Amino acid sequence: MNGNPLYHGIALAVGTLLLLPLALAVLSGWTPRGLRGRRLAVRPYAWALLCLYAVMPLNAVPRMIDAPSGVVMACTGLGFGFVVAAAACFLRAEQTSRSVNSRAKS
């Protein structure tokens, strides 16, 4: 059920290098060029990325240490909760962006 720990480790390392620095940089105040017009909506995007990042260790680490299937399933369920939280953050970012744009047009 757990597979090869090397593959999980590689996926965790790649995910850490791609998602974590961007989310932390945005939370510390940096705004990516593509989101400069959505200044107020940038923080929910960063929180969504952190929620998506949290899924990676929750799925990879129990499998890497060959945890029992109950622990793996519990971590997978908790990871699904983080995916729902990320979706809520993305929706919040879109809502914030639309409300700012509608105020700017009026």
Side-chain angles (χ1 to χ4, degrees), residues 48 50-52 54-55 58 77-87:
L50 284 178
C51 287
L52 291 176
V55 175
L58 276 173
L78 187 59
F80 182 72
F82 278 106
V83 170
V84 170

Side-chain angles (χ1 to χ4, degrees), residues 32-53:
R33 207 175 318 150
L35 294 175
R36 294 242 163 95
R38 300 178 174 197
R39 187 83 176 143
L40 294 176
V42 173
R43 291 186 69 83
Y45 282 123
W47 284 111
L49 288 177
L50 284 178
C51 287
L52 291 176
Y53 172 73

Side-chain angles (χ1 to χ4, degrees), residues 2-102:
N2 293 336
N4 189 345
L6 178 64
Y7 297 135
H8 294 293
I10 291 170
L12 184 59
V14 169
T16 299
L17 291 174
L18 291 177
L19 284 180
L20 197 58
L22 177 63
L24 293 177
V26 168
L27 285 175
S28 68
W30 177 73
T31 305
R33 207 175 318 150
L35 294 175
R36 294 242 163 95
R38 300 178 174 197
R39 187 83 176 143
L40 294 176
V42 173
R43 291 186 69 83
Y45 282 123
W47 284 111
L49 288 177
L50 284 178
C51 287
L52 291 176
Y53 172 73
V55 175
M56 292 178 196
L58 276 173
N59 280 323
V61 172
R63 287 175 169 85
M64 289 170 66
I65 62 173
D66 202 26
S69 63
V71 173
V72 172
M73 292 305 293
C75 289
T76 301
L78 187 59
F80 182 72
F82 278 106
V83 170
V84 170
C89 288
F90 281 129
L91 289 173
R92 173 73 178 179
E94 184 61 28
Q95 179 185 19
T96 304
S97 176
R98 283 186 184 193
S99 68
V100 168
N101 287 341
S102 67

